């Protein structure tokens, strides 16, 4: 069985002590490929560095809505240059986060960065990976008004049926994380809405450890727990979910 973790942050400082060890353990565990996702300028550079040192790790670069306060629009020129690296397969994570940001003018800044980074993705012919939290309507509105040529992924997709339906209609892939294993998550209906050819799995490590590891530092080895939960809900075998999500990941990231 081969697994593809479509969203992890091995560029995070939480891996500074044992990064190479964990990367080796990850590949030994049956994860055949994974993405290292940037969220600001520094982490995007680090993601590329990690990807360049490992054949089966790929990078994204972008400025996330939660990193916009410390970023300026000039940095997007650098993101664009970085994204020309052949190991960079998407722009992201980008989007809107109204859970953490309550200030209206700062939300406007999030929208501006989101739109400008969609433009970069289109210019470089790349897909995007979207972070959206408590911002369903504005996210969909921006995606409708700013067509993304190479579609992309709703990463750690909120378990919101309307968002999933709209995302699918716009051609996006839906990626589920360890959140679907949590006790009060109610993931059945959202997961069953997503057809086999649009579903992806991820860890978002070092965050969001699935059960029974909730609260501990997460890493890509645990993506199997996400696949297991989806298999259970879709009433398919774990092998089949691994295969489907692997193929989908290759397709969206054009590997
Ligand atoms: Zn992330």
């Amino acid at each position: 069985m081969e697994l593809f973790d479509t969203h992890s942050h091995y560029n995070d400082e939480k891996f500074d002590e044992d990064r190479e060890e964990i990367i080796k353990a990850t590949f030994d565990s049956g994860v055949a490929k994974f993405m290292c996702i940037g969220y600001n300028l520094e982490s995007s550079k680090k993601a590329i560095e990690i990807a360049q040192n490992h054949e089966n790790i790929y990078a994204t670069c972008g400025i996330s809505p939660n990193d916009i306060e410390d970023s300026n629009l000039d940095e997007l020129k650098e993101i664009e240059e970085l994204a020309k690296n052949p190991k960079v397969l998407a722009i992201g994570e980008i989007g809107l986060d109204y859970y953490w940001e309550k200030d209206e003018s700062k939300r406007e800044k999030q929208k501006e960065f989101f739109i400008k980074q969609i433009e970069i993705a289109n210019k470089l012919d790349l897909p995007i990976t979207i972070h959206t939290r408590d911002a369903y309507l504005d996210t969909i509105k921006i995606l409708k008004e700013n067509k993304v040529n190479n579609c992309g992924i709703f990463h750690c997709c909120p378990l919101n049926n309307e968002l999933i339906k709209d995302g699918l209609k716009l051609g996006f892939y839906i990626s589920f994380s360890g959140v679907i294993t949590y006790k009060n998550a109610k993931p059945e209906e959202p997961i069953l809405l997503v057809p086999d050819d649009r579903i992806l799995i991820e860890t978002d490590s070092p965050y969001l450890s699935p059960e029974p590891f909730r609260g501990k530092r997460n890493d890509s080895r645990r993506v199997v727990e996400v696949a297991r939960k989806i298999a259970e809900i879709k009433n398919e075998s774990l092998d089949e979910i691994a295969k489907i999500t692997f193929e989908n990941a290759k397709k969206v990231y054009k590997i």
Side-chain angles (χ1 to χ4, degrees), residues 6 152-153 173-177 194 198-202 226 230 244-246 248-250 252-253:
T6 61
I153 299 168
Y173 288 74
I174 306 295
S175 181
F176 293 108
S177 70
V194 184
R198 295 281 197 87
I199 196 163
L200 296 169
I201 52 174
E202 66 170 87
V226 180
I230 292 172
I244 288 166
T245 52
F246 199 90
N248 290 343
K250 276 180 25 188
V252 65
Y253 286 123

Side-chain angles (χ1 to χ4, degrees), residues 224-242:
V224 67
E225 303 304 331
V226 180
R228 205 187 306 281
K229 187 72 191 179
I230 292 172
E232 187 190 309
I233 290 168
K234 279 185 170 273
N235 202 15
E236 290 180 47
S237 69
L238 177 57
D239 274 341
E240 185 61 17
I241 296 300

Side-chain angles (χ1 to χ4, degrees), residues 7 9 37 93 131 155 204:
H7 194 110
H9 300 288
I37 306 286
E93 56 186 285
H131 170 112
H155 122 73
D204 203 16

Side-chain angles (χ1 to χ4, degrees), residues 12-217:
D12 192 282
E13 61 183 14
K14 291 191 181 71
F15 291 108
D16 281 353
E17 299 285 309
D18 57 357
R19 182 170 293 110
E20 289 305 316
E21 234 170 276
I22 294 288
I23 288 173
K24 188 178 178 305
T26 298
F27 287 129
D28 288 347
S29 77
V31 173
K33 293 181 187 293
F34 66 92
M35 299 297 302
C36 190
I37 306 286
Y39 45 90
N40 58 23
L41 193 54
E42 276 320 299
S43 65
S44 296
K45 286 179 189 167
K46 184 81 186 167
I48 294 170
E49 183 195 316
I50 294 168
Q52 277 178 324
N53 289 329
H54 298 274
E55 195 189 339
N56 290 308
I57 305 178
Y58 308 89
T60 72
C61 48
I63 297 177
S64 93
N66 296 318
D67 288 83
I68 277 164
E69 227 184 318
D70 305 316
S71 306
N72 59 66
L73 283 170
D74 284 345
E75 291 179 3
L76 293 182
K77 289 195 193 82
E78 262 188 272
I79 292 288
E80 185 175 333
E81 281 312 302
L82 289 172
K84 291 174 182 164
N85 186 297
K87 285 304 285 273
V88 174
L89 304 187
I91 296 296
E93 56 186 285
I94 58 175
L96 305 175
D97 193 321
Y98 294 173
Y99 177 84
W100 290 112
E101 188 55 78
K102 309 288 183 206
D103 181 287
E104 208 38 64
S105 70
K106 286 177 187 160
R107 287 181 175 180
E108 286 304 313
K109 197 175 167 194
Q110 288 189 358
K111 289 182 198 168
E112 188 180 10
F113 271 76
F114 188 22
I115 292 167
K116 286 212 154 48
Q117 290 181 99
I118 290 173
E119 287 165 7
I120 293 172
N122 286 342
K123 199 164 153 190
L124 300 180
D125 213 19
L126 292 170
I128 61 172
T129 184
I130 300 170
H131 170 112
T132 179
R133 194 166 180 198
D134 287 1
Y136 153 53
L137 290 174
D138 279 354
T139 302
I140 295 296
K141 184 166 182 273
I142 284 176
L143 293 174
K144 281 184 176 161
E145 290 172 358
N146 301 270
K147 192 178 167 340
V148 181
N149 295 337
N150 286 283
C151 86
I153 299 168
F154 276 88
H155 122 73
C156 187
C157 192
L159 301 176
N160 169 336
N161 293 343
E162 297 314 307
L163 170 66
I164 291 173
K165 282 184 213 163
D166 280 346
L168 288 168
K169 245 185 262 166
L170 287 165
F172 280 78
Y173 288 74
I174 306 295
S175 181
F176 293 108
S177 70
V179 168
I180 64 169
T181 68
Y182 296 169
K183 212 170 152 215
N184 297 315
K186 298 198 177 65
E188 288 77 12
E189 223 188 311
I191 286 174
L192 290 173
L193 279 175
V194 184
D196 280 357
D197 63 352
R198 295 281 197 87
I199 196 163
L200 296 169
I201 52 174
E202 66 170 87
T203 55
D204 203 16
S205 57
Y207 312 106
L208 304 178
S209 258
E211 292 291 3
F213 308 101
R214 193 171 180 182
K216 302 207 170 85
R217 183 184 75 172

